[in-house]
Coordinates of all heavy atoms in Angstrom, one line a residue:
M29 N -60.2 42.6 -39.7 CA -60.4 43.0 -38.3 C -59.0 42.9 -37.6 O -58.4 41.8 -37.7 CB -61.5 42.4 -37.7 CG -61.7 42.8 -36.1 SD -62.9 41.9 -35.5 CE -64.0 43.3 -35.0
R30 N -58.5 43.8 -36.9 CA -57.3 43.8 -36.3 C -57.5 43.2 -34.9 O -58.5 43.4 -34.3 CB -56.7 45.2 -36.0 CG -56.1 45.9 -37.4 CD -55.7 47.2 -37.0 NE -54.1 47.0 -37.2 CZ -53.3 47.9 -37.1 NH1 -53.7 49.2 -36.9 NH2 -52.1 47.8 -37.4
R31 N -56.6 42.4 -34.5 CA -56.5 41.9 -33.1 C -56.0 42.9 -32.2 O -55.0 43.7 -32.6 CB -55.8 40.6 -33.1 CG -56.4 39.5 -33.8 CD -55.6 38.2 -33.7 NE -56.0 37.3 -34.8 CZ -55.3 36.3 -35.0 NH1 -54.2 36.1 -34.4 NH2 -55.8 35.4 -35.8
L32 N -56.5 42.9 -30.9 CA -56.0 43.9 -30.0 C -54.5 43.8 -29.7 O -53.8 44.8 -29.5 CB -56.7 43.9 -28.7 CG -58.2 44.2 -28.7 CD1 -58.9 44.0 -27.4 CD2 -58.5 45.7 -29.1
H33 N -54.0 42.7 -29.6 CA -52.5 42.4 -29.3 C -51.5 42.8 -30.5 O -50.4 42.8 -30.3 CB -52.2 41.2 -28.7 CG -52.5 40.0 -29.8 ND1 -53.7 39.5 -30.1 CD2 -51.6 39.2 -30.3 CE1 -53.5 38.6 -31.0 NE2 -52.1 38.4 -31.3
E34 N -52.1 43.1 -31.7 CA -51.0 43.3 -32.7 C -50.3 44.5 -32.6 O -49.1 44.6 -33.1 CB -51.8 43.3 -34.1 CG -52.3 42.0 -34.6 CD -53.0 42.0 -35.8 OE1 -53.1 43.1 -36.4 OE2 -53.6 41.0 -36.3
D35 N -50.9 45.6 -32.0 CA -50.2 46.8 -31.9 C -49.4 46.9 -30.5 O -48.5 47.7 -30.4 CB -51.2 47.9 -31.8 CG -51.9 48.1 -33.1 OD1 -51.3 48.0 -34.2 OD2 -53.2 48.5 -33.1
K36 N -49.4 45.9 -29.7 CA -48.8 45.9 -28.4 C -47.4 45.2 -28.6 O -47.4 44.0 -29.0 CB -49.6 45.2 -27.4 CG -49.2 45.3 -26.0 CD -50.1 44.7 -25.0 CE -49.5 44.6 -23.7 NZ -50.4 43.9 -22.7
P37 N -46.4 45.7 -28.3 CA -45.1 45.1 -28.3 C -45.0 44.0 -27.4 O -45.6 44.1 -26.3 CB -44.0 46.2 -28.1 CG -44.7 47.4 -27.4 CD -46.2 47.2 -27.9
S38 N -44.2 42.9 -27.7 CA -44.1 41.8 -27.0 C -43.3 41.9 -25.7 O -43.5 41.3 -24.7 CB -43.6 40.6 -27.7 OG -42.2 40.8 -28.1
G39 N -42.4 42.8 -25.7 CA -41.5 43.0 -24.6 C -40.3 42.2 -24.7 O -39.3 42.4 -23.8
H40 N -40.2 41.3 -25.5 CA -38.9 40.4 -25.7 C -37.8 41.2 -26.2 O -38.0 42.0 -27.0 CB -39.4 39.3 -26.6 CG -40.4 38.2 -25.9 ND1 -41.6 38.3 -26.0 CD2 -40.0 37.0 -25.3 CE1 -42.1 37.2 -25.3 NE2 -41.2 36.4 -25.0
S41 N -36.7 40.9 -25.7 CA -35.5 41.6 -26.2 C -34.8 40.8 -27.4 O -34.3 41.5 -28.2 CB -34.3 41.4 -25.1 OG -34.8 42.3 -24.0
F42 N -35.2 39.6 -27.7 CA -34.7 38.9 -28.8 C -35.8 38.4 -29.7 O -36.9 38.1 -29.2 CB -34.0 37.7 -28.4 CG -32.9 37.8 -27.4 CD1 -33.0 37.5 -26.0 CD2 -31.6 38.5 -27.7 CE1 -32.0 37.8 -25.2 CE2 -30.7 38.9 -26.9 CZ -30.9 38.5 -25.5
I43 N -35.6 38.5 -31.0 CA -36.6 38.1 -31.9 C -36.2 36.6 -32.4 O -35.2 36.2 -32.3 CB -36.8 39.1 -33.2 CG1 -35.5 39.2 -33.9 CG2 -37.1 40.5 -32.6 CD1 -35.5 40.0 -35.2
T44 N -37.3 36.1 -32.9 CA -37.2 34.7 -33.5 C -36.1 34.8 -34.7 O -36.0 35.7 -35.4 CB -38.4 34.1 -34.1 OG1 -39.4 34.2 -33.1 CG2 -38.4 32.8 -34.7
G45 N -35.1 33.8 -34.6 CA -34.0 33.8 -35.6 C -32.8 34.5 -35.0 O -31.7 34.4 -35.6
S46 N -32.8 35.1 -33.9 CA -31.7 35.8 -33.2 C -30.6 34.7 -32.8 O -31.0 33.6 -32.5 CB -32.0 36.6 -32.1 OG -32.8 37.7 -32.4
L47 N -29.3 35.1 -32.8 CA -28.3 34.2 -32.2 C -28.0 34.7 -30.8 O -27.7 35.9 -30.6 CB -27.0 34.3 -33.1 CG -27.3 33.5 -34.4 CD1 -26.0 33.8 -35.3 CD2 -27.5 32.1 -34.3
V48 N -28.1 33.9 -29.9 CA -27.9 34.2 -28.5 C -26.9 33.1 -27.9 O -26.6 32.0 -28.5 CB -29.2 34.2 -27.6 CG1 -30.1 35.3 -28.1 CG2 -29.9 32.8 -27.8
R49 N -26.4 33.4 -26.7 CA -25.6 32.4 -26.0 C -26.2 32.5 -24.5 O -26.7 33.4 -24.1 CB -24.2 32.6 -26.1 CG -23.8 33.9 -25.5 CD -22.3 34.2 -25.8 NE -22.1 35.6 -25.6 CZ -21.2 36.1 -24.7 NH1 -20.7 35.3 -23.7 NH2 -21.1 37.4 -24.5
L50 N -25.9 31.4 -23.7 CA -26.2 31.3 -22.4 C -25.4 32.3 -21.6 O -24.1 32.2 -21.9 CB -26.1 30.0 -21.8 CG -27.2 28.9 -22.3 CD1 -26.8 27.5 -22.0 CD2 -28.6 29.3 -22.1
S51 N -25.9 33.0 -20.7 CA -25.2 33.9 -20.0 C -24.1 33.4 -19.1 O -24.3 32.3 -18.5 CB -26.1 34.8 -19.1 OG -25.4 35.7 -18.3
R52 N -23.0 34.0 -19.0 CA -22.0 33.5 -18.1 C -22.2 34.0 -16.7 O -21.5 33.6 -15.6 CB -20.5 34.1 -18.5 CG -20.2 33.7 -19.8 CD -18.7 34.1 -20.2 NE -18.5 33.8 -21.6 CZ -18.0 34.4 -22.4 NH1 -17.7 35.7 -22.3 NH2 -17.7 34.0 -23.7
R53 N -23.2 34.7 -16.4 CA -23.6 35.2 -15.0 C -24.1 34.2 -14.2 O -24.2 34.3 -13.0 CB -24.3 36.5 -15.0 CG -23.9 37.7 -15.7 CD -24.8 38.8 -15.8 NE -25.8 38.4 -16.8 CZ -26.8 39.1 -17.1 NH1 -27.1 40.1 -16.2 NH2 -27.7 38.7 -18.0
Y54 N -24.6 33.2 -14.8 CA -25.3 32.1 -14.1 C -24.4 30.9 -13.9 O -23.5 30.6 -14.8 CB -26.6 31.8 -14.7 CG -27.5 32.9 -14.5 CD1 -27.5 33.9 -15.6 CD2 -28.4 33.0 -13.5 CE1 -28.4 35.0 -15.3 CE2 -29.3 34.1 -13.4 CZ -29.3 35.0 -14.2 OH -30.0 36.2 -14.1
P55 N -24.7 30.0 -12.9 CA -23.8 28.8 -12.8 C -23.8 27.9 -14.0 O -24.8 27.8 -14.7 CB -24.5 28.0 -11.7 CG -25.4 29.0 -11.0 CD -25.6 30.1 -11.9
P56 N -22.6 27.3 -14.4 CA -22.6 26.5 -15.5 C -23.5 25.4 -15.5 O -23.9 24.8 -14.5 CB -21.2 26.0 -15.6 CG -20.6 26.3 -14.3 CD -21.5 27.4 -13.6
R57 N -24.2 25.0 -16.7 CA -24.9 23.9 -16.7 C -24.5 23.0 -18.0 O -23.6 23.5 -18.7 CB -26.4 24.4 -17.0 CG -26.6 25.2 -18.2 CD -28.1 25.3 -18.6 NE -28.8 26.6 -18.2 CZ -29.9 27.0 -18.6 NH1 -30.6 26.3 -19.5 NH2 -30.3 28.1 -18.2
K58 N -24.9 21.8 -17.9 CA -24.5 20.9 -19.0 C -25.3 21.3 -20.2 O -26.4 20.9 -20.5 CB -24.8 19.6 -18.6 CG -23.9 19.0 -17.4 CD -24.1 17.5 -17.1 CE -23.2 17.1 -15.9 NZ -23.5 15.8 -15.6
A59 N -24.7 22.2 -21.0 CA -25.2 22.7 -22.2 C -24.2 22.9 -23.3 O -23.0 23.0 -23.0 CB -25.9 24.1 -22.1
A60 N -24.6 22.7 -24.5 CA -23.7 22.8 -25.6 C -23.1 24.2 -25.7 O -23.8 25.2 -25.5 CB -24.5 22.7 -27.0
P61 N -21.8 24.4 -26.0 CA -21.2 25.6 -26.1 C -21.6 26.4 -27.4 O -22.1 25.7 -28.2 CB -19.8 25.3 -26.1 CG -19.6 24.0 -26.7 CD -20.9 23.3 -26.2
G62 N -21.4 27.6 -27.4 CA -21.6 28.3 -28.9 C -23.0 28.7 -28.9 O -23.9 28.9 -28.0
P63 N -23.3 29.3 -30.1 CA -24.6 30.0 -30.3 C -25.9 29.1 -30.3 O -25.7 28.0 -30.7 CB -24.4 30.7 -31.6 CG -23.5 29.7 -32.4 CD -22.5 29.2 -31.3
Y64 N -26.9 29.7 -30.0 CA -28.1 29.1 -29.9 C -29.0 30.0 -30.9 O -29.0 31.3 -30.8 CB -28.9 29.0 -28.6 CG -28.3 28.0 -27.8 CD1 -27.1 28.2 -27.0 CD2 -28.8 26.8 -27.5 CE1 -26.5 27.2 -26.1 CE2 -28.4 25.8 -26.7 CZ -27.1 26.0 -26.0 OH -26.5 25.2 -25.1
H65 N -30.0 29.4 -31.7 CA -31.0 30.2 -32.3 C -32.3 30.3 -31.6 O -32.6 29.3 -30.9 CB -31.3 29.5 -33.7 CG -30.3 29.7 -34.7 ND1 -30.2 30.7 -35.7 CD2 -29.3 28.8 -35.0 CE1 -29.1 30.5 -36.4 NE2 -28.6 29.4 -36.0
V66 N -32.8 31.5 -31.5 CA -34.2 31.6 -30.9 C -35.2 31.1 -31.8 O -35.3 31.6 -32.9 CB -34.4 33.2 -30.5 CG1 -35.9 33.4 -30.0 CG2 -33.4 33.7 -29.5
V67 N -35.8 30.2 -31.4 CA -36.9 29.4 -32.2 C -38.2 30.1 -31.9 O -39.0 30.2 -32.9 CB -36.8 27.9 -32.0 CG1 -37.8 27.2 -32.8 CG2 -35.4 27.4 -32.2
A68 N -38.6 30.5 -30.8 CA -39.9 31.0 -30.5 C -39.7 31.8 -29.1 O -38.9 31.7 -28.3 CB -40.8 29.8 -30.2
Q69 N -40.6 32.9 -29.2 CA -40.8 33.8 -28.0 C -41.9 33.1 -27.1 O -42.9 32.8 -27.8 CB -41.1 35.1 -28.3 CG -40.0 35.9 -29.1 CD -40.4 37.2 -29.5 OE1 -41.6 37.5 -29.7 NE2 -39.5 38.2 -29.7
L70 N -41.7 32.9 -25.9 CA -42.7 32.2 -25.0 C -43.3 33.3 -24.0 O -42.5 34.3 -23.7 CB -42.2 31.0 -24.3 CG -41.4 30.0 -25.2 CD1 -40.9 28.9 -24.4 CD2 -42.6 29.3 -26.2
P71 N -44.4 33.0 -23.6 CA -44.9 34.0 -22.5 C -44.0 33.9 -21.2 O -43.2 32.9 -21.0 CB -46.3 33.3 -22.1 CG -46.5 32.3 -23.1 CD -45.4 31.8 -23.8
A72 N -44.3 34.9 -20.4 CA -43.6 35.1 -19.0 C -43.9 34.0 -18.2 O -45.1 33.4 -18.1 CB -43.9 36.3 -18.5
R73 N -42.9 33.6 -17.4 CA -43.1 32.7 -16.4 C -42.4 33.1 -15.1 O -41.2 33.4 -15.1 CB -42.6 31.3 -16.7 CG -42.8 30.2 -15.7 CD -42.4 28.7 -16.2 NE -42.8 27.8 -15.2 CZ -42.5 26.6 -15.3 NH1 -42.0 26.1 -16.4 NH2 -43.0 25.8 -14.3
D74 N -43.2 33.2 -14.0 CA -42.4 33.8 -12.8 C -41.9 35.2 -13.0 O -40.9 35.5 -12.5 CB -41.5 32.8 -12.1 CG -42.0 31.6 -11.8 OD1 -43.2 31.5 -11.4 OD2 -41.3 30.5 -11.9
G75 N -42.6 36.0 -13.8 CA -42.2 37.3 -14.1 C -41.1 37.4 -15.2 O -40.6 38.5 -15.5
Q76 N -40.6 36.3 -15.7 CA -39.5 36.4 -16.7 C -40.0 36.0 -18.1 O -40.6 34.9 -18.1 CB -38.3 35.5 -16.3 CG -37.5 36.1 -15.2 CD -36.7 37.3 -15.6 OE1 -36.1 37.3 -16.6 NE2 -36.6 38.2 -14.7
L77 N -39.6 36.8 -19.1 CA -40.1 36.3 -20.5 C -39.0 35.0 -20.8 O -38.1 34.9 -20.4 CB -39.6 37.3 -21.5 CG -40.6 38.7 -21.2 CD1 -40.2 39.8 -22.2 CD2 -42.1 38.2 -21.6
Q78 N -39.6 34.2 -21.5 CA -39.1 32.9 -21.9 C -38.9 32.7 -23.4 O -39.5 33.4 -24.2 CB -40.0 31.6 -21.4 CG -40.4 31.7 -19.9 CD -39.2 31.2 -19.1 OE1 -38.7 30.2 -19.3 NE2 -38.9 32.0 -18.1
Y79 N -37.9 31.9 -23.8 CA -37.6 31.7 -25.1 C -37.3 30.1 -25.4 O -36.9 29.5 -24.5 CB -36.3 32.3 -25.5 CG -36.4 33.9 -25.6 CD1 -36.1 34.6 -24.5 CD2 -36.7 34.5 -26.7 CE1 -36.2 36.0 -24.4 CE2 -36.8 35.9 -26.5 CZ -36.5 36.5 -25.4 OH -36.6 38.0 -25.4
R80 N -37.8 29.7 -26.6 CA -37.3 28.4 -26.9 C -36.0 28.5 -27.8 O -36.1 29.3 -28.7 CB -38.4 27.7 -27.7 CG -38.0 26.3 -28.1 CD -39.2 25.3 -28.4 NE -39.9 25.1 -27.3 CZ -41.1 25.2 -26.9 NH1 -41.9 25.7 -27.9 NH2 -41.7 24.9 -25.9
I81 N -34.9 27.8 -27.5 CA -33.7 28.0 -28.2 C -33.2 26.7 -28.6 O -33.5 25.6 -28.1 CB -32.6 28.6 -27.3 CG1 -32.3 27.9 -26.0 CG2 -33.1 30.1 -27.1 CD1 -31.2 28.4 -25.2
K82 N -32.5 26.6 -29.7 CA -31.9 25.5 -30.2 C -30.4 25.6 -30.7 O -30.1 26.7 -31.4 CB -32.8 25.1 -31.5 CG -32.2 23.9 -32.3 CD -32.6 22.6 -31.6 CE -32.4 21.3 -32.4 NZ -30.9 20.9 -32.4
S83 N -29.6 24.6 -30.3 CA -28.2 24.6 -30.6 C -28.0 23.6 -31.8 O -28.8 22.6 -31.9 CB -27.3 24.3 -29.6 OG -26.0 23.9 -29.9
G84 N -27.1 23.9 -32.7 CA -26.8 22.9 -33.8 C -26.1 21.6 -33.2 O -26.1 20.6 -33.9
C85 N -25.7 21.7 -32.1 CA -24.9 20.5 -31.5 C -25.8 19.8 -30.6 O -25.3 18.7 -30.0 CB -23.9 21.1 -30.6 SG -22.5 22.1 -31.4
E86 N -27.0 20.0 -30.4 CA -27.9 19.2 -29.5 C -29.1 18.8 -30.4 O -29.6 19.6 -31.2 CB -28.4 19.9 -28.3 CG -27.2 20.4 -27.4 CD -27.7 21.1 -26.3 OE1 -28.6 21.9 -26.3 OE2 -27.1 21.0 -25.1
P87 N -29.7 17.6 -30.1 CA -30.9 17.2 -30.9 C -32.2 17.8 -30.3 O -33.3 17.4 -30.8 CB -30.8 15.7 -30.7 CG -30.1 15.4 -29.5 CD -29.1 16.6 -29.4
F88 N -32.1 18.5 -29.3 CA -33.4 18.9 -28.7 C -33.4 20.3 -28.4 O -32.4 21.1 -28.7 CB -33.5 18.3 -27.2 CG -32.4 18.3 -26.4 CD1 -32.2 19.5 -25.5 CD2 -31.3 17.4 -26.4 CE1 -31.1 19.6 -24.8 CE2 -30.3 17.6 -25.6 CZ -30.1 18.6 -24.7
Y89 N -34.7 20.9 -28.1 CA -34.7 22.4 -27.8 C -34.6 22.6 -26.3 O -34.8 21.8 -25.4 CB -36.1 22.8 -28.3 CG -36.4 22.8 -29.6 CD1 -36.9 21.5 -30.4 CD2 -36.0 23.8 -30.6 CE1 -37.1 21.5 -31.6 CE2 -36.2 23.7 -32.0 CZ -36.7 22.5 -32.4 OH -37.0 22.5 -33.8
R90 N -34.2 23.8 -26.0 CA -34.2 24.3 -24.6 C -35.1 25.3 -24.3 O -35.4 26.2 -25.3 CB -32.8 24.7 -24.1 CG -31.6 23.6 -24.1 CD -30.3 24.2 -23.8 NE -29.4 23.2 -23.5 CZ -29.2 22.5 -22.6 NH1 -29.9 22.6 -21.4 NH2 -28.3 21.5 -22.5
T91 N -35.5 25.6 -23.1 CA -36.3 26.8 -22.7 C -35.4 27.6 -21.7 O -34.8 27.0 -20.9 CB -37.6 26.3 -22.1 OG1 -38.4 25.7 -23.0 CG2 -38.4 27.5 -21.6
A92 N -35.2 28.8 -22.0 CA -34.5 29.7 -21.3 C -35.1 31.0 -21.0 O -35.9 31.6 -21.9 CB -33.1 29.9 -21.8
S93 N -35.0 31.6 -19.7 CA -35.5 32.9 -19.4 C -34.7 34.0 -20.1 O -33.4 33.8 -20.3 CB -35.8 33.1 -17.9 OG -34.5 32.9 -17.3
E94 N -35.2 35.1 -20.3 CA -34.6 36.2 -20.9 C -33.2 36.6 -20.1 O -32.1 36.9 -20.7 CB -35.5 37.4 -21.0 CG -34.8 38.5 -21.8 CD -35.9 39.5 -22.3 OE1 -36.5 39.3 -23.3 OE2 -36.0 40.6 -21.6
N95 N -33.3 36.5 -18.8 CA -32.2 36.9 -18.0 C -31.0 35.9 -18.0 O -29.9 36.2 -17.7 CB -32.4 37.3 -16.5 CG -33.0 36.0 -15.8 OD1 -33.3 35.0 -16.4 ND2 -33.2 36.1 -14.5
E96 N -31.2 34.7 -18.7 CA -30.2 33.7 -18.8 C -29.5 33.8 -20.2 O -28.6 33.1 -20.5 CB -30.8 32.3 -18.7 CG -31.3 32.0 -17.4 CD -32.0 30.6 -17.4 OE1 -33.0 30.3 -18.2 OE2 -31.6 29.8 -16.6
L97 N -30.0 34.7 -21.0 CA -29.4 34.8 -22.4 C -28.7 36.1 -22.8 O -29.0 37.2 -22.0 CB -30.6 34.8 -23.3 CG -31.4 33.4 -23.4 CD1 -32.6 33.4 -24.3 CD2 -30.5 32.2 -23.6
E98 N -27.7 36.0 -23.6 CA -27.0 37.3 -24.1 C -27.0 37.2 -25.6 O -26.9 36.2 -26.2 CB -25.6 37.3 -23.5 CG -25.5 37.4 -22.0 CD -24.0 37.3 -21.5 OE1 -23.2 37.0 -22.4 OE2 -23.8 37.5 -20.3
S99 N -26.8 38.3 -26.2 CA -26.8 38.4 -27.6 C -25.4 37.8 -27.9 O -24.4 38.2 -27.2 CB -26.9 39.8 -28.2 OG -26.7 39.8 -29.6
D100 N -25.3 36.9 -29.1 CA -24.0 36.4 -29.4 C -23.6 37.2 -30.7 O -23.7 36.7 -31.9 CB -24.2 35.0 -29.7 CG -23.0 34.3 -29.9 OD1 -21.8 35.1 -30.1 OD2 -22.8 33.0 -29.9
V101 N -22.9 38.3 -30.4 CA -22.5 39.3 -31.3 C -21.4 38.7 -32.3 O -21.5 38.9 -33.5 CB -21.7 40.7 -30.7 CG1 -21.3 41.6 -31.7 CG2 -23.0 41.3 -29.8
G102 N -20.4 37.9 -31.7 CA -19.4 37.2 -32.5 C -20.1 36.2 -33.6 O -19.7 36.3 -34.6
A103 N -21.1 35.5 -33.1 CA -21.6 34.5 -34.0 C -22.4 35.3 -35.0 O -22.5 34.9 -36.2 CB -22.5 33.6 -33.4
T104 N -23.1 36.4 -34.7 CA -23.8 37.2 -35.7 C -23.0 37.8 -36.7 O -23.3 37.8 -37.9 CB -24.6 38.3 -34.9 OG1 -25.4 37.6 -33.9 CG2 -25.5 39.1 -35.9
A105 N -21.8 38.3 -36.3 CA -20.8 38.8 -37.2 C -20.3 37.8 -38.2 O -20.2 38.0 -39.4 CB -19.8 39.6 -36.6
A106 N -20.0 36.7 -37.7 CA -19.5 35.5 -38.5 C -20.5 35.1 -39.5 O -20.3 34.8 -40.7 CB -19.1 34.3 -37.5
V107 N -21.8 35.1 -39.2 CA -22.9 34.8 -40.1 C -23.1 35.7 -41.1 O -23.2 35.4 -42.4 CB -24.2 34.4 -39.4 CG1 -25.4 34.3 -40.4 CG2 -24.1 33.1 -38.5
A108 N -22.9 37.0 -40.8 CA -23.1 38.1 -41.7 C -22.0 38.1 -42.8 O -22.1 38.4 -43.9 CB -23.1 39.4 -41.0
A109 N -20.7 37.7 -42.3 CA -19.6 37.7 -43.2 C -19.5 36.7 -44.2 O -19.0 36.8 -45.3 CB -18.3 37.7 -42.4
S110 N -20.3 35.5 -43.9 CA -20.2 34.4 -44.9 C -21.2 34.5 -45.9 O -22.0 35.4 -46.1 CB -20.4 33.1 -44.1 OG -21.5 33.2 -43.3

């Protein structure tokens, strides 16, 4: 039996495993530089879709809203080339 939500797209711009970076449009925060991996797509909070992200430079996960993230094209190209 199919679940009703299987056919409905999630609306998230990034899929699990994507490489992203924190957007430069927002004030700087104390965060590791460089790419983050999207570990999970989370439900919306205050109208913004959320993600759990992880940097290899930090021992913990972060939660970020979709408008705080950008695709990290440079890191994606570097991973594809290796």
Side-chain angles (χ1 to χ4, degrees):
M29 179 180 242
R30 290 181 111 170
R31 295 182 191 166
L32 293 176
H33 68 281
E34 285 181 2
D35 294 322
K36 187 177 178 184
S38 69
H40 286 84
S41 296
F42 306 106
I43 61 171
T44 301
S46 296
L47 290 173
V48 295
R49 61 186 163 112
L50 294 171
S51 176
R52 294 183 184 136
R53 292 178 287 172
Y54 292 90
R57 56 165 104 165
K58 293 183 180 178
Y64 288 79
H65 285 271
V66 174
V67 177
Q69 296 174 334
L70 303 173
R73 183 173 186 178
D74 297 329
Q76 286 291 321
L77 294 170
Q78 303 283 307
Y79 295 88
R80 179 160 291 124
I81 59 175
K82 175 77 171 86
S83 168
C85 300
E86 297 176 328
F88 52 87
Y89 296 91
R90 291 181 177 271
T91 299
S93 59
E94 189 163 274
N95 64 346
E96 295 177 301
L97 300 175
E98 297 175 351
S99 181
D100 194 341
V101 178
T104 304
V107 169
S110 58

